Amino acid sequence: RDFHIDAYELYHEAQKPVVDRIKRMGAEVDSLIQQRLNVVFWGTIGTGKDQLATWLLRVAASRGHSVRWLSARDYYDECQAAFGEGSSQTEVYRKWATPTVLCLSDPVFEDGWNAKNAEYLNRLARRRYDAGRATWVTCNVQNLDHARDLFGMDVWDRLIEQSVLL
């Protein structure tokens, strides 16, 4: 849907510096992508992370960058299905390593984290990193320590390497 960052409804004073930063990032999105900077949008449920990430993706797309939005649940399902359909997970990873920017929404679920999902996410993040592509993530966490605990050090370190944390 049409959304402009100026229409974003601030309901807490802590959101203003984040929105201001995202506006600046929108103006510099080409440089952000050229530098292969990942962006991690973190916060509690309902704070507008996906909405802000979508706006930034739309800015990148309007400047000619290849962008994709991906629900983590759909991605994990696709990886799981690749085992049983005679296809290769390599094909799945290759497909999602292609866009210049990939935004992965909610890679950790309310019901927790499992080793398989950690492996899928880590492989994707590594492939994108090796290909020089930015990976943006939205995650429902209370703080950065909570994120590290949920994701585990290996995955979290990969996600925050060369990242802007918002």
Side-chain angles (χ1 to χ4, degrees):
R1 66 180 184 168
D2 287 338
F3 167 76
H4 193 274
I5 193 75
D6 291 329
Y8 184 80
E9 186 176 337
L10 298 172
Y11 61 87
H12 190 280
E13 63 188 41
Q15 291 173 294
K16 184 168 180 13
V18 173
V19 172
D20 290 344
R21 176 83 187 269
I22 290 171
K23 286 179 184 179
R24 289 191 306 274
M25 290 168 67
E28 302 168 354
V29 74
D30 295 321
S31 175
L32 183 78
I33 292 169
Q34 218 170 27
Q35 293 175 48
R36 302 175 5 176
L37 289 177
N38 296 328
V39 180
V40 177
F41 297 85
W42 67 273
T44 56
I45 294 172
T47 54
K49 298 174 298 295
D50 290 325
Q51 189 175 26
L52 294 173
T54 300
W55 179 80
L56 198 54
L57 280 174
R58 289 184 65 174
V59 171
S62 75
R63 302 245 175 93
H65 297 284
S66 167
V67 303
R68 294 289 305 269
W69 176 270
L70 177 61
S71 156
R73 190 170 300 277
D74 292 345
Y75 168 68
Y76 298 144
D77 288 348
E78 189 175 347
C79 288
Q80 189 78 22
F83 274 128
E85 294 177 357
S87 62
S88 163
Q89 282 187 342
T90 302
E91 294 170 26
V92 174
Y93 299 132
R94 187 177 298 129
K95 169 183 164 183
W96 293 113
T98 303
T100 305
V101 178
L102 175 68
C103 187
L104 188 64
S105 177
D106 300 326
V108 178
F109 308 138
E110 313 78 43
D111 57 354
W113 186 239
N114 66 55
K116 248 338 176 187
N117 290 352
E119 178 185 337
Y120 298 149
L121 181 56
N122 204 9
R123 285 187 182 190
L124 177 62
R126 185 173 296 127
R127 275 189 175 264
R128 294 193 53 77
Y129 177 83
D130 291 346
R133 309 244 187 244
T135 304
W136 300 353
V137 177
T138 66
C139 51
N140 294 317
V141 296
Q142 299 162 6
N143 56 50
L144 296 179
D145 289 334
H146 181 225
R148 186 175 34 253
D149 291 344
L150 283 175
F151 283 94
M153 285 301 292
D154 191 33
V155 173
W156 183 244
D157 282 350
R158 175 84 49 202
L159 290 176
I160 65 170
E161 186 175 343
Q162 288 185 248
S163 289
V164 175
L165 302 173
L166 300 168

